[in-house]
Structure formats: C-alpha cells, structure tokens
Amino acid sequence: MSLTLDQLNAAAPGDAVALLDGTYEHSPWIAERALAARPFRSLAHLKHALVQAVAAASTDEKLGLIRAHPELAGKAMVSKTLTAESTHEQGKAGLTDCTPEEFAKIQQLNADYNAKFGFPFILAVRGPRGTGLSKREIIDTFERRLHHHPDFELGEALRNIHRIAEIRLNDKFGADVSLGNDVWDWHEALSAHTDPGYAEKGQLTVTYLTDAHRACAAQISGLMRDCGFDSVHIDAVGNVVGRYEGSTPNAKALLTGSHYDTVRNGGKYDGRLGIFVAVACVRELKRQGRRLPFAFEVVGFAEEEGQRYKATFLGSGALIGHFDQRWLDQKDADGITMREAMRHAGLDEAEIPKIQRDPARYLGFVEVHIEQGPVLTELDIPLGIVTSINGGVRYVGEMIGMASHAGTTPMGRRRDAAAAVAELILFAEQRAAKDGDSVATVGMLEVPSGSINVVPGRCKFSLDIRAPNDPQRDAVVRDVLAALQEIADRRGVRFVIEEAMRAAAAPSAPAWQQRWEKAVESLGVPLFRMPSGAGHDAMKLHEVMPQAMLFVRGINSGISHNPLESSTNDDIQLAVQAFQHLLDNLAAEQAH
C-alpha cells in the first residue's frame, strides 16, 4: 500500500516523521522541520518543504547530512551495512557488481574526493529518469566533479541528496511520473539523429536541412500522428506543424512549440522540450476523447540556432513573414547554398510566403523551454515563470595603442591596448551587476600577432549586453561606451567599435504570464519569476501576438548547449501538468 498525503497530513508529528523515515539518510530532523508546512497540497509541495528545511539548516547540519551517506561502492557496501534504500540504489546502478578494475577506480576516486572536500561523493545513481546510471556515467561524473570549487560542490552534493530523496518519495507514494518518463524517452530517441562527423564522436549536432535534421522532422511528424493530432505536415521551411482541432469549427488556435535543431555538440533538451511537452498534452486529450474550445497548434521550428547558415530564428520568423530571401544564396561550410539544401529536402521556396500566419486567428503563443542556466537548480525550484526575454546589443571592436618593447617601456609610458580592454571588461562586469538582471560579456578577446615580450599595440574584442527591457539595456550600453571612451582617453589609446546586432526585449504578455502562474501555483510548487537571458522563438512570435514562457529546471547546474544538458522525469512531469492546467483554465475562460 502506498502512502498518501492525507495520511501524512493527518498523522501525529512523531508518526509523520516515521512515515518519512529513510527519505533522507539517517537525518529525521529534516522531516521534523518540514512538517511545519503541513498540510501538503501535493507531493511536489512536500518535496519543496523538505528542500527548504535543508536550505535553512546550518552548515554543520548540511555537512552532517552529506556525511550520513555512504561512499559509492565503499566499505559499507562491501560489509553489507548499507540501508535498504542505498543497497537498492547502488545495486540498480551495478555498483554491487563491479569488476576489480572498476572497484579500484571508484575507491581511488573516493579517496581523492574525500581528501579535497572532506565529505563523501554523493550521486543520485538512479539518474534523471530513475532507471539507473551506468557505471561509466557514474565514473565520468565522479571525475568531472572532482574539479569543482568546494562551495559549488557542497551545493551539488545537496542537490543530489534531494534527487535521491525525490525518487524515494516517489516510491513511498506510488507517484505516477509516466508523462515525464515518456517525454524524457522521446528526447533520447530523437538524439539518435546527428550530423556526419559528430555521430562518430557520440556528439549531438543537428543543423538545418541535413539528413539528420530531416530524420528528426520525420520522427517528430510520426510521433504527432501516433499521439492523435488531426493534421501533421512539414511546411516550406521545414517546420513540423501538428494541429489538434477545437470543439467548434474555425475556432482560434493557441500556438506553441520550439526548435528541434541544435548547436554543435549540444544537448538533447534545448528547444525540443517545448515540442514534446505539448505533444504529450495532445496525446492525453486524445486519450480522454476531449476537445478544447480552441484549436491547439504545435510547431517544431526547423531552425533557431543559426549554425549552418547565418539565419537565426528562420523557422519562427517565416511564420510571421520575416523570411529574408537573401538567405537562400548563403553558402554553408561545404559551399552548399540554402536554396540547394531546400531543394534537396524537397522544399519549395516559392511556398514560403504562404506559411505566414494571420495573428487574428490565434489566441497567443506559449513556449516551454529548459532554463539553460543555474538559477532554478540553485534555488531547488522545478519551474520558473519568464517575465521577459532579454533585449540585447552586440558590438565588435578594436583598441589601438602602441606596440613597444616589454622590457624597456616603463609602466607609466605604455599605451597598452590589451590592458585598456581588460579595464573595460571589469567595468562592464561591475556595471551590469548593479542592475541584478542585466548582463555584460566580453566573449572574444584577441591580441593580433601578440608576442610574449611586446606590449600589445592592438586588441580585438566583442561586447554583448542584455537586459529584461530596452531602457535598462540602453542605460548599461551608454555607461559602458562612456567608460570605453574615458579609459581610451586616460590611457592614450583609441578604439573603433561597430554595432553587430540589436534585438528588442520581449516582455511576457501579463495575461499569459498570469495563466502560467496560475497553472504552476496549482501544482503546489513555489512561484518564481525570472527573465530569460537567452533568445527564444517566442521573441519572434512576440512581434505579432502575445506570448509567455515557462522554464523547466535543468540538472548539472542547468548547463545547456552542452552534452550534459538534461532534466529529470519529475520536473518534466510537472511541466506537462502545468501545461495541462493552462489548457484547462484557458478552456474554462473561453466557455465564459
């Protein structure tokens, strides 16, 4: 018999702690403190209350919690003194069946880790899907985390403890995460397709209109059909479009989706999560025999990343009539024009203008996306409400001083171009930090023909400035450019700078942001509002219709554009449920 929230909420304090025994290793104090948040509205609410109890604990208590956990494949496993929960988890990962070489490797890693951090290595070995990591994945993670800063690794250890507890709670309560499991599995299946040259390295790279890209489109199309969409097609730029009709003919549609192309050696969830979460919602509607009072259109955008051709947001841009015909003559690294790639894919460029949508036929656009950053994971919150997609400006510049002998030029007589840019970098960092949500980055830095014994006479640099709204962004830009002038004047150098890109911020439509908030709040998880530092397809749709986004927490510090990008089945389950609530609430609104 599975435990229920009603039982836990009704139990006397001591009995309630006993019901949660084994959730956190030898640490009943966590349950004792979390019970102050009763009654728990959902399992997600209980999980968050436990997380909050740990977050509010002292450093010594946190270290005690970590040290209460056994080493992986350590002495407790050998002597068979692990708790039943740990025995099950380590056995599921194959750690109870290590070869002598694997066992020796893990023992050495344990010793190195303890020597550096002073506590045992903690890993949720049942992994993001709950089915168990391989021994290779465990060893690779062990080696990677050995290089972390101690403060960061303390947080990572606690996050893994919370994931262990989450899986144990799912077992106790008989939680159904089948929607999250299915969406997780769809990502894994789609990642089988990757461009030549990357497949051999085990890397995921899917760029516009390659064979791998077209295989992805075919697979997404097939999944949409299997899940019950009324119509599915691939349009003139390669977007995969699935439509689930409303209960009334010619009803307006809610538009959603994201992109299925990737950066080079990227992750499996960027973009694709926003397609598959929506597909899962349609499948459940079809299974229930339900129609909404509006149509539901899901688009897998063919291109967002600008990797093969310099044409970002091509897929979503085409939907609003922003396809630049000059793109067709661009050539990729192999000399293949976009026009040739389209013809090879069976697409007709003459049809592109016909795919432009009439905004009057749509209620709005919503997008689910993996966060691509560390904020949610460090706060231990599964979902985030996006308030705005940051506006950005990019510059490329060059500082010009005087190259001179490093040994004979006194420090006060130098015209060091690199030192001037270094000062600019520090100013930009400090200025952006004053706003909280503004960011400024110098991502490219080059001293052309530099020598170890020459004061740099030239230094090329880039500058990327972003903020949640355009006035805030422009204020940072003004201050940074003014500082650039002041630094150059004071140091006796000059500069040239050119604006390379400018994108307006895309604030979430208040009504649609509130719909996401209502949907998330009903799950019993805390509301957290945040800007998006990255650009998304929603930015393009924002130009013609209201939009709002939902972020889903990533693991591995929320890393993205990286093979380590991932999310858990539990967080994906919550994302699907939030989208279902949004659809249901919108249907109720339409009924009135």
Side-chain angles (χ1 to χ4, degrees):
M1 265 305 268
S2 296
L3 178 62
T4 68
L5 283 174
D6 287 342
Q7 289 174 304
L8 184 66
N9 285 331
D15 294 336
V17 171
L19 289 171
L20 294 175
D21 182 52
T23 302
Y24 285 88
E25 204 88 353
H26 306 298
S27 302
W29 59 269
I30 300 172
E32 289 167 3
R33 296 177 193 179
L35 291 173
R38 288 194 294 178
F40 299 115
R41 296 191 291 130
S42 64
L43 185 54
H45 183 199
L46 167 60
K47 291 172 181 176
H48 185 67
L50 292 162
V51 164
Q52 289 295 97
V54 174
S58 68
T59 300
D60 285 345
E61 286 174 319
K62 291 173 183 174
L63 287 170
L65 170 62
I66 296 171
R67 289 171 182 147
H69 284 71
E71 289 185 339
L72 289 183
K75 295 172 185 173
M77 189 191 79
V78 175
S79 62
K80 294 184 168 51
T81 56
L82 292 173
T83 62
E85 291 86 0
S86 288
T87 301
H88 173 63
E89 287 153 1
Q90 295 206 24
K92 203 156 192 173
L95 293 175
T96 52
D97 188 31
C98 287
T99 65
E101 294 77 17
E102 289 169 337
F103 187 70
K105 175 73 172 175
I106 293 173
Q107 290 298 293
Q108 185 58 55
L109 287 167
N110 275 323
D112 293 345
Y113 187 94
N114 263 297
K116 179 173 181 179
F117 299 112
F119 50 78
F121 175 71
I122 310 296
L123 179 64
V125 294
R126 283 176 65 180
R129 172 66 163 78
T131 49
L133 299 172
S134 68
K135 283 181 280 190
R136 181 71 262 163
E137 288 174 310
I138 290 169
I139 290 170
D140 286 349
T141 304
F142 218 145
E143 292 178 327
R144 175 171 52 84
R145 282 175 50 188
L146 261 172
H147 299 292
H148 284 167
H149 185 279
D151 290 345
F152 178 83
E153 185 56 21
L154 176 70
E156 195 72 350
L158 292 171
R159 285 187 283 274
N160 274 275
I161 287 172
H162 292 316
R163 176 59 181 160
I164 292 166
E166 175 165 67
I167 294 171
R168 291 177 179 180
L169 285 168
N170 289 348
D171 292 343
K172 276 182 184 291
F173 284 85
D176 179 9
V177 289
S178 56
L179 293 171
N181 288 340
D182 288 347
V183 173
W184 201 91
D185 291 343
W186 292 342
H187 285 89
E188 291 300 302
L190 195 66
S191 71
H193 307 297
T194 187
D195 289 351
Y198 296 92
E200 297 84 349
K201 301 175 188 174
Q203 297 176 352
L204 178 62
T205 301
V206 177
T207 57
Y208 187 52
L209 296 184
T210 60
D211 288 346
H213 184 271
R214 293 165 60 209
C216 286
Q219 191 162 316
I220 295 168
S221 300
L223 178 66
M224 285 180 167
R225 291 188 184 94
D226 292 343
C227 288
F229 282 77
D230 296 308
S231 61
V232 181
H233 72 278
I234 296 173
D235 71 15
V237 296
N239 295 327
V240 183
V241 183
R243 192 172 168 100
Y244 188 72
E245 298 298 344
S247 54
T248 54
N250 301 314
K252 286 189 177 184
L254 174 62
L255 186 61
T256 190
S258 198
H259 62 98
Y260 64 90
D261 67 320
T262 76
V263 296
R264 293 180 175 86
N265 193 24
K268 301 172 184 175
Y269 293 78
D270 176 13
R272 298 170 175 198
L273 186 64
I275 303 169
F276 289 141
V277 165
V279 169
C281 290
V282 170
R283 186 187 66 180
E284 296 311 297
L285 288 168
K286 183 69 174 181
R287 284 177 171 177
Q288 297 159 16
R290 284 184 61 203
R291 293 279 171 182
L292 302 166
F294 50 88
F296 190 36
E297 189 173 321
V298 182
V299 183
F301 294 114
E303 198 288 329
E304 190 248 26
E305 299 286 6
Q307 296 288 296
R308 186 178 182 186
Y309 300 101
K310 293 178 182 176
T312 54
F313 302 112
L314 182 155
S316 50
L319 255 62
I320 66 168
H322 289 186
F323 183 87
D324 189 337
Q325 293 292 321
R326 293 173 296 180
W327 289 341
L328 294 168
D329 296 317
Q330 285 188 17
K331 293 182 179 180
D332 67 7
D334 296 319
I336 300 168
T337 65
M338 185 186 291
R339 179 178 284 105
E340 290 166 339
M342 283 187 160
R343 288 174 182 167
H344 176 68
L347 304 179
D348 183 356
E349 64 191 73
E351 295 293 311
I352 294 174
K354 299 177 184 177
I355 70 174
Q356 182 177 350
R357 300 299 196 270
D358 175 5
R361 302 293 309 143
Y362 290 88
L363 298 168
F365 178 82
V366 290
E367 182 174 358
V368 175
H369 207 283
I370 197 164
E371 182 202 348
Q372 298 183 278
V375 177
L376 292 176
T377 189
E378 289 182 1
L379 291 170
D380 289 302
I381 294 175
L383 303 173
I385 310 294
V386 177
T387 54
S388 178
I389 303 170
N390 285 3
V393 183
R394 291 178 184 170
Y395 296 92
V396 289
E398 183 173 9
M399 195 74 77
I400 302 134
M402 177 67 72
S404 59
H405 196 293
T408 62
T409 311
M411 296 305 293
R413 304 283 292 279
R414 297 179 175 213
R415 292 163 61 193
D416 188 327
V421 176
E423 192 173 341
L424 175 71
I425 294 170
L426 291 175
F427 177 87
E429 180 182 68
Q430 292 159 4
R431 171 60 185 86
K434 288 181 180 178
D435 290 345
D437 290 330
S438 297
V439 291
T441 307
V442 174
M444 297 193 303
L445 199 59
E446 178 193 357
V447 176
S449 305
S451 297
I452 197 168
N453 60 346
V454 176
V455 175
R458 295 168 59 214
C459 185
K460 294 182 177 181
F461 63 95
S462 64
L463 186 60
D464 181 311
I465 295 173
R466 309 186 196 198
N469 60 72
D470 294 345
Q472 184 175 325
R473 175 203 65 193
D474 294 343
V476 178
V477 168
R478 280 194 303 272
D479 289 350
V480 170
L481 293 182
L484 173 61
Q485 185 67 61
E486 188 277 328
I487 291 165
D489 291 345
R490 173 165 40 82
R491 287 180 169 271
V493 297
R494 62 187 177 88
F495 64 89
V496 291
I497 193 163
E498 177 187 353
E499 185 177 304
M501 185 278 286
R502 179 174 291 262
S508 297
W512 285 97
Q513 181 181 322
Q514 288 161 17
R515 289 184 179 105
W516 275 128
E517 290 174 0
K518 184 178 179 182
V520 169
E521 201 277 334
S522 66
L523 297 172
V525 298
L527 282 182
F528 182 75
R529 301 171 182 89
M530 62 188 298
S532 170
H536 299 287
D537 290 300
M539 292 182 81
K540 297 304 293 182
L541 277 302
H542 172 83
E543 296 178 31
V544 299
M545 65 180 74
Q547 64 79 28
M549 292 185 69
L550 178 72
F551 273 168
V552 183
R553 168 175 56 181
I555 62 172
N556 299 320
S557 306
I559 197 166
S560 186
H561 286 183
N562 184 296
L564 293 173
E565 175 186 274
S566 189
S567 187
T568 66
N569 55 351
D570 282 85
D571 287 356
I572 295 172
Q573 176 83 21
L574 289 171
V576 177
Q577 289 173 329
F579 210 143
Q580 289 176 315
H581 284 305
L582 181 141
L583 293 173
D584 290 343
N585 293 339
L586 188 59
E589 287 179 38
Q590 297 283 302
H592 293 93

